[in-house]
Structure formats: C-alpha cells, structure tokens
Amino acid sequence: MNKWKIGAIIGAIWGLLSLITLSGGFWLNPLMRYTFGLPTTLAFGSVDWFNAITHGFTIAVSHTILFLLAAHIGALIGAGVGFVIDKCRR
C-alpha cells in the first residue's frame, strides 16, 4: 500500500477525532485548535462561510456538512504528507 493511501486513512481518522477534540471546549486553546483540531477548524470556517452566503441551513445539514468536510480535509492533509514522504524516500 502506498504511503499516501495510509496517510489518507490516518488523516480521515484524525479529522473525525478532531470533531471530538473541539467539541469539549478545547477550541479555546490555540495549541489544541491548530494541532489536534485543524481539520475541524478549517471545515468550520468553510461551513460558516457557506452558511452565510446561502442565508442559513438547518442545524442537521450544517452539522452533516461539517462532519463530512472535516474527514475529507483530514484525509487530504494525510494524503499530502504521505505523498511527500513517499517521494522523498525514493
């Protein structure tokens, strides 16, 4: 299995765990917010911006988009790191 695939799986898990990390009030601490909660922080900014331009979602739609987008952002970051590691080792 390529390193980017492994990185994408680990990144998706990181994205989902970042939802749990930030839901407990740890988002007030910048160190926790930008290390463990980075995918959710980026996803929340995107969902908040999209919510503002579409004049509001229901809470269920907003949370579903946040949940899916945090996992996807984590997977993209993990795949990128895995790709760089794979290319540097060759």
Side-chain angles (χ1 to χ4, degrees):
M1 187 178 275
N2 294 336
K3 299 287 184 201
W4 68 269
K5 290 180 184 177
I6 295 171
I9 292 169
I10 292 171
I13 293 170
W14 173 47
L16 294 175
L17 288 176
S18 72
L19 288 166
I20 297 169
T21 302
L22 292 182
S23 68
F26 288 112
W27 58 272
L28 294 172
N29 185 352
L31 181 65
M32 294 292 282
R33 183 177 186 171
Y34 294 114
T35 53
F36 298 113
L38 183 65
T40 302
T41 303
L42 295 175
F44 184 74
S46 301
V47 170
D48 193 32
W49 173 79
F50 191 66
N51 193 11
I53 66 168
T54 58
H55 303 295
F57 284 136
T58 62
I59 293 295
V61 172
S62 179
H63 282 88
T64 304
I65 292 173
L66 180 68
F67 183 76
L68 294 173
L69 196 58
H72 281 88
I73 289 173
L76 282 173
I77 293 171
V81 169
F83 181 76
V84 168
I85 289 172
D86 194 29
K87 290 298 177 185
C88 288
R89 288 196 176 189
R90 289 184 185 183

